[in-house]
mmCIF file of all heavy atoms in Angstrom:
data_model
loop_
_atom_site.group_PDB
_atom_site.id
_atom_site.type_symbol
_atom_site.label_atom_id
_atom_site.label_comp_id
_atom_site.label_asym_id
_atom_site.label_seq_id
_atom_site.Cartn_x
_atom_site.Cartn_y
_atom_site.Cartn_z
ATOM 1 N N MET K 1 70.846 -57.129 -151.528
ATOM 2 C CA MET K 1 72.018 -56.818 -150.641
ATOM 3 C C MET K 1 71.538 -56.903 -149.233
ATOM 4 O O MET K 1 70.536 -56.309 -148.871
ATOM 5 C CB MET K 1 72.426 -55.409 -151.078
ATOM 6 C CG MET K 1 73.695 -55.002 -150.324
ATOM 7 S SD MET K 1 74.316 -53.304 -150.681
ATOM 8 C CE MET K 1 74.648 -53.444 -152.418
ATOM 9 N N PRO K 2 72.302 -57.532 -148.391
ATOM 10 C CA PRO K 2 72.013 -57.613 -146.981
ATOM 11 C C PRO K 2 71.965 -56.220 -146.276
ATOM 12 O O PRO K 2 72.621 -55.327 -146.746
ATOM 13 C CB PRO K 2 73.132 -58.362 -146.386
ATOM 14 C CG PRO K 2 73.810 -59.143 -147.543
ATOM 15 C CD PRO K 2 73.547 -58.267 -148.730
ATOM 16 N N PRO K 3 71.100 -56.087 -145.300
ATOM 17 C CA PRO K 3 70.957 -54.785 -144.670
ATOM 18 C C PRO K 3 72.309 -54.186 -144.109
ATOM 19 O O PRO K 3 72.514 -52.970 -144.247
ATOM 20 C CB PRO K 3 70.013 -55.059 -143.467
ATOM 21 C CG PRO K 3 69.291 -56.245 -143.840
ATOM 22 C CD PRO K 3 70.183 -57.094 -144.747
ATOM 23 N N GLY K 4 73.129 -55.051 -143.576
ATOM 24 C CA GLY K 4 74.444 -54.555 -143.171
ATOM 25 C C GLY K 4 75.270 -53.879 -144.217
ATOM 26 O O GLY K 4 75.929 -52.924 -144.023
ATOM 27 N N ARG K 5 75.209 -54.598 -145.439
ATOM 28 C CA ARG K 5 76.017 -54.028 -146.512
ATOM 29 C C ARG K 5 75.418 -52.632 -147.035
ATOM 30 O O ARG K 5 76.142 -51.771 -147.424
ATOM 31 C CB ARG K 5 75.971 -54.975 -147.720
ATOM 32 C CG ARG K 5 76.749 -56.330 -147.373
ATOM 33 C CD ARG K 5 77.889 -56.238 -148.373
ATOM 34 N NE ARG K 5 78.595 -57.543 -148.144
ATOM 35 C CZ ARG K 5 79.836 -57.630 -147.914
ATOM 36 N NH1 ARG K 5 80.583 -56.512 -147.857
ATOM 37 N NH2 ARG K 5 80.508 -58.791 -147.625
ATOM 38 N N ARG K 6 74.099 -52.598 -147.008
ATOM 39 C CA ARG K 6 73.440 -51.349 -147.415
ATOM 40 C C ARG K 6 73.825 -50.189 -146.436
ATOM 41 O O ARG K 6 74.138 -49.075 -146.919
ATOM 42 C CB ARG K 6 71.930 -51.512 -147.460
ATOM 43 C CG ARG K 6 71.374 -52.088 -148.659
ATOM 44 C CD ARG K 6 69.860 -51.887 -148.868
ATOM 45 N NE ARG K 6 69.116 -52.525 -147.755
ATOM 46 C CZ ARG K 6 68.669 -53.901 -147.772
ATOM 47 N NH1 ARG K 6 68.958 -54.556 -148.845
ATOM 48 N NH2 ARG K 6 68.004 -54.362 -146.827
ATOM 49 N N ARG K 7 73.828 -50.487 -145.156
ATOM 50 C CA ARG K 7 74.307 -49.452 -144.210
ATOM 51 C C ARG K 7 75.724 -49.061 -144.350
ATOM 52 O O ARG K 7 76.137 -47.877 -144.361
ATOM 53 C CB ARG K 7 74.013 -49.958 -142.823
ATOM 54 C CG ARG K 7 72.528 -49.868 -142.360
ATOM 55 C CD ARG K 7 72.419 -50.060 -140.855
ATOM 56 N NE ARG K 7 72.766 -51.477 -140.467
ATOM 57 C CZ ARG K 7 71.964 -52.499 -140.332
ATOM 58 N NH1 ARG K 7 70.713 -52.352 -140.560
ATOM 59 N NH2 ARG K 7 72.470 -53.616 -139.929
ATOM 60 N N LEU K 8 76.612 -50.045 -144.674
ATOM 61 C CA LEU K 8 78.003 -49.672 -144.912
ATOM 62 C C LEU K 8 78.148 -48.902 -146.151
ATOM 63 O O LEU K 8 78.838 -47.948 -146.059
ATOM 64 C CB LEU K 8 78.834 -50.995 -145.083
ATOM 65 C CG LEU K 8 80.267 -50.925 -145.353
ATOM 66 C CD1 LEU K 8 80.932 -50.122 -144.230
ATOM 67 C CD2 LEU K 8 80.892 -52.218 -145.516
ATOM 68 N N ARG K 9 77.483 -49.202 -147.220
ATOM 69 C CA ARG K 9 77.575 -48.474 -148.414
ATOM 70 C C ARG K 9 77.139 -47.007 -148.199
ATOM 71 O O ARG K 9 77.694 -46.067 -148.616
ATOM 72 C CB ARG K 9 76.718 -49.119 -149.494
ATOM 73 C CG ARG K 9 76.901 -48.354 -150.904
ATOM 74 C CD ARG K 9 76.156 -48.992 -151.904
ATOM 75 N NE ARG K 9 76.619 -49.779 -153.016
ATOM 76 C CZ ARG K 9 77.886 -50.162 -153.395
ATOM 77 N NH1 ARG K 9 78.807 -49.922 -152.615
ATOM 78 N NH2 ARG K 9 78.079 -50.843 -154.369
ATOM 79 N N LYS K 10 75.998 -46.859 -147.459
ATOM 80 C CA LYS K 10 75.476 -45.521 -147.204
ATOM 81 C C LYS K 10 76.516 -44.714 -146.368
ATOM 82 O O LYS K 10 76.757 -43.490 -146.645
ATOM 83 C CB LYS K 10 74.077 -45.649 -146.395
ATOM 84 C CG LYS K 10 73.541 -44.259 -146.147
ATOM 85 C CD LYS K 10 73.150 -43.504 -147.354
ATOM 86 C CE LYS K 10 72.513 -42.243 -147.016
ATOM 87 N NZ LYS K 10 72.289 -41.367 -148.186
ATOM 88 N N ARG K 11 77.083 -45.338 -145.359
ATOM 89 C CA ARG K 11 78.119 -44.685 -144.534
ATOM 90 C C ARG K 11 79.313 -44.266 -145.373
ATOM 91 O O ARG K 11 79.875 -43.232 -145.198
ATOM 92 C CB ARG K 11 78.598 -45.490 -143.341
ATOM 93 C CG ARG K 11 77.504 -45.973 -142.343
ATOM 94 C CD ARG K 11 76.873 -44.828 -141.640
ATOM 95 N NE ARG K 11 75.974 -45.166 -140.560
ATOM 96 C CZ ARG K 11 74.634 -45.556 -140.701
ATOM 97 N NH1 ARG K 11 74.149 -45.695 -141.909
ATOM 98 N NH2 ARG K 11 73.968 -45.792 -139.666
ATOM 99 N N GLU K 12 79.720 -45.123 -146.296
ATOM 100 C CA GLU K 12 80.827 -44.817 -147.207
ATOM 101 C C GLU K 12 80.574 -43.641 -148.055
ATOM 102 O O GLU K 12 81.346 -42.725 -148.262
ATOM 103 C CB GLU K 12 81.187 -45.991 -148.026
ATOM 104 C CG GLU K 12 81.851 -47.189 -147.230
ATOM 105 C CD GLU K 12 82.146 -48.480 -147.998
ATOM 106 O OE1 GLU K 12 81.391 -48.615 -149.085
ATOM 107 O OE2 GLU K 12 82.930 -49.187 -147.582
ATOM 108 N N GLN K 13 79.292 -43.563 -148.462
ATOM 109 C CA GLN K 13 78.809 -42.418 -149.256
ATOM 110 C C GLN K 13 78.977 -41.126 -148.520
ATOM 111 O O GLN K 13 79.410 -40.044 -149.023
ATOM 112 C CB GLN K 13 77.463 -42.565 -149.933
ATOM 113 C CG GLN K 13 77.419 -43.686 -150.934
ATOM 114 C CD GLN K 13 76.011 -44.003 -151.293
ATOM 115 O OE1 GLN K 13 75.020 -43.688 -150.625
ATOM 116 N NE2 GLN K 13 75.823 -44.785 -152.454
ATOM 117 N N ILE K 14 78.441 -41.135 -147.228
ATOM 118 C CA ILE K 14 78.436 -40.037 -146.401
ATOM 119 C C ILE K 14 79.900 -39.550 -146.108
ATOM 120 O O ILE K 14 80.283 -38.392 -146.199
ATOM 121 C CB ILE K 14 77.740 -40.388 -145.031
ATOM 122 C CG1 ILE K 14 76.127 -40.458 -145.420
ATOM 123 C CG2 ILE K 14 77.999 -39.145 -144.055
ATOM 124 C CD1 ILE K 14 75.410 -41.029 -144.258
ATOM 125 N N LEU K 15 80.797 -40.537 -145.811
ATOM 126 C CA LEU K 15 82.150 -40.215 -145.567
ATOM 127 C C LEU K 15 82.836 -39.560 -146.756
ATOM 128 O O LEU K 15 83.582 -38.588 -146.661
ATOM 129 C CB LEU K 15 82.894 -41.464 -145.094
ATOM 130 C CG LEU K 15 84.376 -41.376 -144.818
ATOM 131 C CD1 LEU K 15 84.640 -40.396 -143.746
ATOM 132 C CD2 LEU K 15 84.972 -42.717 -144.525
ATOM 133 N N ASP K 16 82.620 -40.220 -147.977
ATOM 134 C CA ASP K 16 83.158 -39.661 -149.250
ATOM 135 C C ASP K 16 82.751 -38.187 -149.376
ATOM 136 O O ASP K 16 83.615 -37.390 -149.775
ATOM 137 C CB ASP K 16 82.790 -40.535 -150.366
ATOM 138 C CG ASP K 16 83.437 -41.833 -150.462
ATOM 139 O OD1 ASP K 16 84.473 -42.019 -149.680
ATOM 140 O OD2 ASP K 16 82.970 -42.744 -151.236
ATOM 141 N N ALA K 17 81.555 -37.855 -149.121
ATOM 142 C CA ALA K 17 80.991 -36.543 -149.368
ATOM 143 C C ALA K 17 81.575 -35.521 -148.394
ATOM 144 O O ALA K 17 82.031 -34.431 -148.667
ATOM 145 C CB ALA K 17 79.487 -36.518 -149.211
ATOM 146 N N ALA K 18 81.782 -35.999 -147.089
ATOM 147 C CA ALA K 18 82.393 -35.155 -146.085
ATOM 148 C C ALA K 18 83.791 -34.901 -146.308
ATOM 149 O O ALA K 18 84.329 -33.813 -146.263
ATOM 150 C CB ALA K 18 82.214 -35.782 -144.733
ATOM 151 N N GLN K 19 84.550 -35.934 -146.788
ATOM 152 C CA GLN K 19 85.917 -35.867 -147.168
ATOM 153 C C GLN K 19 86.150 -34.900 -148.276
ATOM 154 O O GLN K 19 86.995 -34.083 -148.347
ATOM 155 C CB GLN K 19 86.599 -37.186 -147.358
ATOM 156 C CG GLN K 19 88.037 -37.165 -147.584
ATOM 157 C CD GLN K 19 88.632 -38.547 -147.747
ATOM 158 O OE1 GLN K 19 87.965 -39.474 -148.214
ATOM 159 N NE2 GLN K 19 89.929 -38.636 -147.329
ATOM 160 N N ALA K 20 85.325 -35.053 -149.288
ATOM 161 C CA ALA K 20 85.394 -34.224 -150.503
ATOM 162 C C ALA K 20 85.222 -32.735 -150.113
ATOM 163 O O ALA K 20 85.948 -31.815 -150.522
ATOM 164 C CB ALA K 20 84.313 -34.616 -151.603
ATOM 165 N N GLU K 21 84.187 -32.377 -149.273
ATOM 166 C CA GLU K 21 83.939 -31.088 -148.823
ATOM 167 C C GLU K 21 85.144 -30.488 -147.935
ATOM 168 O O GLU K 21 85.644 -29.387 -148.198
ATOM 169 C CB GLU K 21 82.726 -31.018 -147.951
ATOM 170 C CG GLU K 21 82.361 -29.576 -147.575
ATOM 171 C CD GLU K 21 81.069 -29.490 -146.718
ATOM 172 O OE1 GLU K 21 80.199 -30.421 -146.905
ATOM 173 O OE2 GLU K 21 80.938 -28.463 -146.036
ATOM 174 N N LEU K 22 85.653 -31.354 -147.146
ATOM 175 C CA LEU K 22 86.820 -30.948 -146.212
ATOM 176 C C LEU K 22 87.956 -30.630 -147.062
ATOM 177 O O LEU K 22 88.724 -29.677 -146.747
ATOM 178 C CB LEU K 22 87.007 -32.047 -145.203
ATOM 179 C CG LEU K 22 88.198 -31.759 -144.282
ATOM 180 C CD1 LEU K 22 87.906 -30.678 -143.342
ATOM 181 C CD2 LEU K 22 88.602 -33.048 -143.500
ATOM 182 N N LEU K 23 88.308 -31.488 -147.997
ATOM 183 C CA LEU K 23 89.543 -31.342 -148.762
ATOM 184 C C LEU K 23 89.354 -30.542 -150.084
ATOM 185 O O LEU K 23 90.274 -30.432 -150.865
ATOM 186 C CB LEU K 23 90.092 -32.741 -149.141
ATOM 187 C CG LEU K 23 90.397 -33.660 -147.869
ATOM 188 C CD1 LEU K 23 90.895 -34.965 -148.329
ATOM 189 C CD2 LEU K 23 91.381 -32.998 -146.916
ATOM 190 N N SER K 24 88.219 -29.899 -150.226
ATOM 191 C CA SER K 24 87.975 -29.148 -151.458
ATOM 192 C C SER K 24 88.929 -28.074 -151.829
ATOM 193 O O SER K 24 89.215 -27.944 -153.059
ATOM 194 C CB SER K 24 86.504 -28.605 -151.449
ATOM 195 O OG SER K 24 86.464 -27.666 -150.477
ATOM 196 N N PRO K 25 89.574 -27.450 -150.832
ATOM 197 C CA PRO K 25 90.582 -26.474 -151.224
ATOM 198 C C PRO K 25 91.871 -26.999 -151.842
ATOM 199 O O PRO K 25 92.717 -26.256 -152.430
ATOM 200 C CB PRO K 25 90.959 -25.654 -149.898
ATOM 201 C CG PRO K 25 89.802 -26.081 -148.983
ATOM 202 C CD PRO K 25 89.319 -27.394 -149.437
ATOM 203 N N LEU K 26 92.080 -28.287 -151.734
ATOM 204 C CA LEU K 26 93.314 -28.991 -152.171
ATOM 205 C C LEU K 26 93.121 -29.510 -153.581
ATOM 206 O O LEU K 26 92.060 -30.074 -153.872
ATOM 207 C CB LEU K 26 93.674 -30.096 -151.204
ATOM 208 C CG LEU K 26 93.883 -29.675 -149.711
ATOM 209 C CD1 LEU K 26 94.266 -30.895 -148.974
ATOM 210 C CD2 LEU K 26 94.973 -28.633 -149.628
ATOM 211 N N SER K 27 94.244 -29.554 -154.280
ATOM 212 C CA SER K 27 94.141 -30.155 -155.659
ATOM 213 C C SER K 27 94.263 -31.733 -155.325
ATOM 214 O O SER K 27 94.455 -32.206 -154.311
ATOM 215 C CB SER K 27 95.487 -29.796 -156.503
ATOM 216 O OG SER K 27 96.640 -30.282 -155.872
ATOM 217 N N ALA K 28 94.019 -32.509 -156.444
ATOM 218 C CA ALA K 28 94.023 -33.898 -156.298
ATOM 219 C C ALA K 28 95.461 -34.437 -155.779
ATOM 220 O O ALA K 28 95.556 -35.264 -154.918
ATOM 221 C CB ALA K 28 93.684 -34.575 -157.616
ATOM 222 N N ALA K 29 96.547 -33.815 -156.277
ATOM 223 C CA ALA K 29 97.848 -34.087 -155.947
ATOM 224 C C ALA K 29 98.072 -33.782 -154.462
ATOM 225 O O ALA K 29 98.715 -34.535 -153.694
ATOM 226 C CB ALA K 29 98.901 -33.399 -156.791
ATOM 227 N N GLU K 30 97.563 -32.651 -154.037
ATOM 228 C CA GLU K 30 97.716 -32.229 -152.595
ATOM 229 C C GLU K 30 96.932 -33.147 -151.707
ATOM 230 O O GLU K 30 97.403 -33.483 -150.587
ATOM 231 C CB GLU K 30 97.288 -30.783 -152.401
ATOM 232 C CG GLU K 30 98.140 -29.746 -153.083
ATOM 233 C CD GLU K 30 97.624 -28.382 -153.049
ATOM 234 O OE1 GLU K 30 96.311 -28.208 -153.152
ATOM 235 O OE2 GLU K 30 98.382 -27.416 -153.021
ATOM 236 N N ARG K 31 95.823 -33.713 -152.146
ATOM 237 C CA ARG K 31 95.005 -34.590 -151.381
ATOM 238 C C ARG K 31 95.709 -35.881 -151.170
ATOM 239 O O ARG K 31 95.831 -36.450 -150.087
ATOM 240 C CB ARG K 31 93.638 -34.852 -152.018
ATOM 241 C CG ARG K 31 92.726 -33.717 -152.022
ATOM 242 C CD ARG K 31 91.404 -34.063 -152.745
ATOM 243 N NE ARG K 31 90.645 -32.834 -152.942
ATOM 244 C CZ ARG K 31 89.349 -32.853 -153.222
ATOM 245 N NH1 ARG K 31 88.756 -34.097 -153.516
ATOM 246 N NH2 ARG K 31 88.631 -31.771 -153.350
ATOM 247 N N GLU K 32 96.296 -36.381 -152.238
ATOM 248 C CA GLU K 32 97.129 -37.611 -152.232
ATOM 249 C C GLU K 32 98.217 -37.472 -151.274
ATOM 250 O O GLU K 32 98.574 -38.337 -150.437
ATOM 251 C CB GLU K 32 97.570 -37.985 -153.558
ATOM 252 C CG GLU K 32 96.456 -38.461 -154.532
ATOM 253 C CD GLU K 32 96.951 -38.762 -155.939
ATOM 254 O OE1 GLU K 32 98.198 -38.918 -156.117
ATOM 255 O OE2 GLU K 32 96.099 -38.766 -156.878
ATOM 256 N N GLN K 33 99.005 -36.298 -151.373
ATOM 257 C CA GLN K 33 100.136 -36.193 -150.433
ATOM 258 C C GLN K 33 99.665 -36.013 -149.026
ATOM 259 O O GLN K 33 100.296 -36.632 -148.116
ATOM 260 C CB GLN K 33 100.814 -34.814 -150.870
ATOM 261 C CG GLN K 33 102.013 -34.499 -150.027
ATOM 262 C CD GLN K 33 102.722 -33.149 -150.386
ATOM 263 O OE1 GLN K 33 102.068 -32.301 -150.917
ATOM 264 N NE2 GLN K 33 104.081 -33.041 -150.153
ATOM 265 N N LEU K 34 98.552 -35.305 -148.736
ATOM 266 C CA LEU K 34 98.072 -35.281 -147.411
ATOM 267 C C LEU K 34 97.748 -36.604 -146.832
ATOM 268 O O LEU K 34 98.094 -36.945 -145.695
ATOM 269 C CB LEU K 34 96.871 -34.400 -147.250
ATOM 270 C CG LEU K 34 96.199 -34.212 -145.967
ATOM 271 C CD1 LEU K 34 97.073 -33.668 -144.950
ATOM 272 C CD2 LEU K 34 94.978 -33.457 -146.082
ATOM 273 N N VAL K 35 97.053 -37.429 -147.583
ATOM 274 C CA VAL K 35 96.668 -38.770 -147.159
ATOM 275 C C VAL K 35 97.898 -39.616 -146.885
ATOM 276 O O VAL K 35 97.969 -40.306 -145.908
ATOM 277 C CB VAL K 35 95.693 -39.480 -148.163
ATOM 278 C CG1 VAL K 35 95.471 -40.899 -147.855
ATOM 279 C CG2 VAL K 35 94.372 -38.713 -148.179
ATOM 280 N N ARG K 36 98.845 -39.517 -147.727
ATOM 281 C CA ARG K 36 100.103 -40.319 -147.551
ATOM 282 C C ARG K 36 100.891 -39.808 -146.318
ATOM 283 O O ARG K 36 101.305 -40.658 -145.519
ATOM 284 C CB ARG K 36 101.046 -40.104 -148.866
ATOM 285 C CG ARG K 36 102.246 -40.978 -148.813
ATOM 286 C CD ARG K 36 103.121 -40.851 -150.005
ATOM 287 N NE ARG K 36 103.864 -39.565 -150.031
ATOM 288 C CZ ARG K 36 103.598 -38.443 -150.844
ATOM 289 N NH1 ARG K 36 102.698 -38.553 -151.676
ATOM 290 N NH2 ARG K 36 104.284 -37.349 -150.705
ATOM 291 N N LEU K 37 100.970 -38.497 -146.167
ATOM 292 C CA LEU K 37 101.710 -38.012 -144.915
ATOM 293 C C LEU K 37 100.883 -38.393 -143.616
ATOM 294 O O LEU K 37 101.456 -38.838 -142.605
ATOM 295 C CB LEU K 37 101.871 -36.530 -144.938
ATOM 296 C CG LEU K 37 102.784 -36.105 -145.958
ATOM 297 C CD1 LEU K 37 102.772 -34.481 -146.213
ATOM 298 C CD2 LEU K 37 104.246 -36.455 -145.723
ATOM 299 N N LEU K 38 99.557 -38.309 -143.598
ATOM 300 C CA LEU K 38 98.806 -38.722 -142.361
ATOM 301 C C LEU K 38 98.921 -40.137 -142.225
ATOM 302 O O LEU K 38 99.025 -40.577 -140.947
ATOM 303 C CB LEU K 38 97.343 -38.244 -142.544
ATOM 304 C CG LEU K 38 97.076 -36.755 -142.550
ATOM 305 C CD1 LEU K 38 95.653 -36.442 -142.905
ATOM 306 C CD2 LEU K 38 97.475 -36.150 -141.191
ATOM 307 N N GLY K 39 98.950 -40.927 -143.211
ATOM 308 C CA GLY K 39 99.213 -42.370 -143.106
ATOM 309 C C GLY K 39 100.563 -42.646 -142.441
ATOM 310 O O GLY K 39 100.600 -43.573 -141.504
ATOM 311 N N ARG K 40 101.625 -41.910 -142.800
ATOM 312 C CA ARG K 40 102.875 -42.168 -142.147
ATOM 313 C C ARG K 40 102.747 -41.878 -140.591
ATOM 314 O O ARG K 40 103.394 -42.477 -139.784
ATOM 315 C CB ARG K 40 103.901 -41.273 -142.770
ATOM 316 C CG ARG K 40 104.323 -41.835 -144.122
ATOM 317 C CD ARG K 40 105.354 -40.990 -144.909
ATOM 318 N NE ARG K 40 106.466 -40.700 -144.022
ATOM 319 C CZ ARG K 40 107.363 -39.697 -144.401
ATOM 320 N NH1 ARG K 40 107.313 -39.026 -145.517
ATOM 321 N NH2 ARG K 40 108.326 -39.372 -143.650
ATOM 322 N N VAL K 41 102.141 -40.698 -140.245
ATOM 323 C CA VAL K 41 101.957 -40.318 -138.880
ATOM 324 C C VAL K 41 101.198 -41.387 -138.115
ATOM 325 O O VAL K 41 101.623 -41.773 -137.028
ATOM 326 C CB VAL K 41 101.180 -38.942 -138.746
ATOM 327 C CG1 VAL K 41 100.818 -38.618 -137.348
ATOM 328 C CG2 VAL K 41 102.081 -37.869 -139.327
ATOM 329 N N VAL K 42 100.078 -41.906 -138.612
ATOM 330 C CA VAL K 42 99.297 -42.891 -137.919
ATOM 331 C C VAL K 42 100.141 -44.172 -137.808
ATOM 332 O O VAL K 42 100.223 -44.792 -136.720
ATOM 333 C CB VAL K 42 97.965 -43.137 -138.811
ATOM 334 C CG1 VAL K 42 97.302 -44.448 -138.307
ATOM 335 C CG2 VAL K 42 97.026 -42.048 -138.704
ATOM 336 N N GLU K 43 100.843 -44.612 -138.885
ATOM 337 C CA GLU K 43 101.623 -45.772 -138.806
ATOM 338 C C GLU K 43 102.764 -45.633 -137.769
ATOM 339 O O GLU K 43 102.995 -46.549 -136.955
ATOM 340 C CB GLU K 43 102.308 -46.080 -140.171
ATOM 341 C CG GLU K 43 103.124 -47.405 -140.230
ATOM 342 C CD GLU K 43 103.732 -47.556 -141.590
ATOM 343 O OE1 GLU K 43 102.950 -47.490 -142.616
ATOM 344 O OE2 GLU K 43 104.864 -47.841 -141.716
ATOM 345 N N HIS K 44 103.338 -44.536 -137.727
ATOM 346 C CA HIS K 44 104.396 -44.270 -136.693
ATOM 347 C C HIS K 44 103.882 -44.491 -135.239
ATOM 348 O O HIS K 44 104.552 -45.176 -134.426
ATOM 349 C CB HIS K 44 104.954 -42.844 -136.815
ATOM 350 C CG HIS K 44 105.994 -42.494 -135.693
ATOM 351 N ND1 HIS K 44 107.212 -42.797 -135.833
ATOM 352 C CD2 HIS K 44 105.723 -41.741 -134.663
ATOM 353 C CE1 HIS K 44 107.802 -42.336 -134.740
ATOM 354 N NE2 HIS K 44 106.930 -41.705 -133.982
ATOM 355 N N HIS K 45 102.707 -43.873 -135.064
ATOM 356 C CA HIS K 45 102.147 -43.915 -133.659
ATOM 357 C C HIS K 45 101.521 -45.268 -133.410
ATOM 358 O O HIS K 45 101.481 -45.710 -132.247
ATOM 359 C CB HIS K 45 101.281 -42.764 -133.384
ATOM 360 C CG HIS K 45 101.963 -41.521 -133.361
ATOM 361 N ND1 HIS K 45 102.745 -41.156 -132.223
ATOM 362 C CD2 HIS K 45 102.136 -40.517 -134.253
ATOM 363 C CE1 HIS K 45 103.347 -40.009 -132.447
ATOM 364 N NE2 HIS K 45 102.967 -39.562 -133.628
ATOM 365 N N ALA K 46 101.005 -45.950 -134.330
ATOM 366 C CA ALA K 46 100.301 -47.186 -134.185
ATOM 367 C C ALA K 46 101.237 -48.303 -133.827
ATOM 368 O O ALA K 46 100.891 -49.250 -133.205
ATOM 369 C CB ALA K 46 99.500 -47.606 -135.501
ATOM 370 N N TYR K 47 102.466 -48.184 -134.291
ATOM 371 C CA TYR K 47 103.416 -49.165 -134.013
ATOM 372 C C TYR K 47 104.517 -48.752 -133.007
ATOM 373 O O TYR K 47 105.636 -49.227 -133.055
ATOM 374 C CB TYR K 47 104.202 -49.686 -135.351
ATOM 375 C CG TYR K 47 103.107 -50.226 -136.274
ATOM 376 C CD1 TYR K 47 102.666 -49.576 -137.415
ATOM 377 C CD2 TYR K 47 102.570 -51.491 -136.041
ATOM 378 C CE1 TYR K 47 101.698 -50.126 -138.256
ATOM 379 C CE2 TYR K 47 101.597 -52.037 -136.871
ATOM 380 C CZ TYR K 47 101.195 -51.375 -137.999
ATOM 381 O OH TYR K 47 100.254 -51.831 -138.781
ATOM 382 N N GLY K 48 104.098 -47.910 -132.134
ATOM 383 C CA GLY K 48 104.968 -47.541 -130.951
ATOM 384 C C GLY K 48 106.160 -46.768 -131.360
ATOM 385 O O GLY K 48 107.218 -46.937 -130.773
ATOM 386 N N GLY K 49 106.073 -45.870 -132.370
ATOM 387 C CA GLY K 49 107.212 -45.143 -132.884
ATOM 388 C C GLY K 49 107.638 -44.217 -131.654
ATOM 389 O O GLY K 49 106.867 -43.782 -130.840
ATOM 390 N N SER K 50 108.949 -43.999 -131.580
ATOM 391 C CA SER K 50 109.505 -43.154 -130.495
ATOM 392 C C SER K 50 109.319 -41.700 -130.848
ATOM 393 O O SER K 50 109.081 -41.306 -132.033
ATOM 394 C CB SER K 50 110.996 -43.486 -130.195
ATOM 395 O OG SER K 50 111.658 -43.180 -131.391
ATOM 396 N N ALA K 51 109.563 -40.857 -129.955
ATOM 397 C CA ALA K 51 109.527 -39.413 -130.151
ATOM 398 C C ALA K 51 110.741 -38.973 -131.024
ATOM 399 O O ALA K 51 111.580 -39.780 -131.336
ATOM 400 C CB ALA K 51 109.605 -38.647 -128.741
ATOM 401 N N MET K 52 110.677 -37.755 -131.499
ATOM 402 C CA MET K 52 111.784 -37.317 -132.282
ATOM 403 C C MET K 52 113.084 -37.435 -131.576
ATOM 404 O O MET K 52 113.256 -37.321 -130.396
ATOM 405 C CB MET K 52 111.517 -35.812 -132.606
ATOM 406 C CG MET K 52 110.760 -35.552 -133.740
ATOM 407 S SD MET K 52 110.854 -33.731 -134.083
ATOM 408 C CE MET K 52 109.251 -33.388 -134.778
ATOM 409 N N GLU K 53 114.035 -37.601 -132.514
ATOM 410 C CA GLU K 53 115.516 -37.658 -131.993
ATOM 411 C C GLU K 53 115.832 -36.219 -131.630
ATOM 412 O O GLU K 53 115.253 -35.264 -132.057
ATOM 413 C CB GLU K 53 116.401 -38.181 -133.170
ATOM 414 C CG GLU K 53 116.084 -39.622 -133.544
ATOM 415 C CD GLU K 53 116.333 -40.627 -132.511
ATOM 416 O OE1 GLU K 53 117.278 -40.473 -131.606
ATOM 417 O OE2 GLU K 53 115.477 -41.522 -132.336
ATOM 418 N N PRO K 54 116.920 -36.072 -130.825
ATOM 419 C CA PRO K 54 117.321 -34.681 -130.389
ATOM 420 C C PRO K 54 117.520 -33.719 -131.546
ATOM 421 O O PRO K 54 117.402 -32.505 -131.418
ATOM 422 C CB PRO K 54 118.571 -34.993 -129.665
ATOM 423 C CG PRO K 54 118.457 -36.385 -129.080
ATOM 424 C CD PRO K 54 117.629 -37.062 -130.197
ATOM 425 N N ASP K 55 117.989 -34.295 -132.700
ATOM 426 C CA ASP K 55 118.306 -33.412 -133.895
ATOM 427 C C ASP K 55 116.975 -32.984 -134.567
ATOM 428 O O ASP K 55 117.064 -32.418 -135.709
ATOM 429 C CB ASP K 55 119.291 -34.039 -134.746
ATOM 430 C CG ASP K 55 118.786 -35.231 -135.467
ATOM 431 O OD1 ASP K 55 117.631 -35.726 -135.100
ATOM 432 O OD2 ASP K 55 119.560 -35.879 -136.229
ATOM 433 N N GLY K 56 115.839 -33.463 -134.100
ATOM 434 C CA GLY K 56 114.486 -33.102 -134.778
ATOM 435 C C GLY K 56 114.123 -34.013 -135.790
ATOM 436 O O GLY K 56 113.116 -33.783 -136.542
ATOM 437 N N GLN K 57 114.909 -35.109 -136.122
ATOM 438 C CA GLN K 57 114.544 -36.089 -137.157
ATOM 439 C C GLN K 57 113.736 -37.195 -136.600
ATOM 440 O O GLN K 57 113.943 -37.615 -135.574
ATOM 441 C CB GLN K 57 115.852 -36.637 -137.750
ATOM 442 C CG GLN K 57 116.784 -35.563 -138.302
ATOM 443 C CD GLN K 57 116.333 -35.099 -139.720
ATOM 444 O OE1 GLN K 57 115.736 -35.903 -140.467
ATOM 445 N NE2 GLN K 57 116.443 -33.801 -140.034
#
């Protein structure tokens, strides 16, 4: 395996362990929901989403 791939795999393992520790209080379903909701927030802001409408929506 090329050195770059080894480093990437090691970083992925470190990230997986940190994420597991951070999210340990949540159930698997709650983790999935959190990731989905955060993805929506990121997508909204990444594509220039506007601020909330006056009605809070």
Side-chain angles (χ1 to χ4, degrees):
M1 182 182 301
R5 292 243 184 238
R6 279 195 295 273
R7 282 192 294 265
L8 178 59
R9 185 179 253 3
K10 181 63 177 172
R11 299 300 187 277
E12 288 172 340
Q13 291 171 345
I14 292 168
L15 179 59
D16 288 345
Q19 187 175 27
E21 182 178 339
L22 177 69
L23 301 178
S24 65
L26 303 177
S27 69
E30 290 169 329
R31 290 178 190 196
E32 289 175 19
Q33 182 180 24
L34 176 62
V35 169
R36 190 179 70 251
L37 291 171
L38 290 173
R40 284 177 53 192
V41 170
V42 168
E43 184 177 312
H44 172 82
H45 291 286
Y47 297 107
S50 61
M52 273 191 209
E53 298 297 323
D55 64 359
Q57 301 281 326

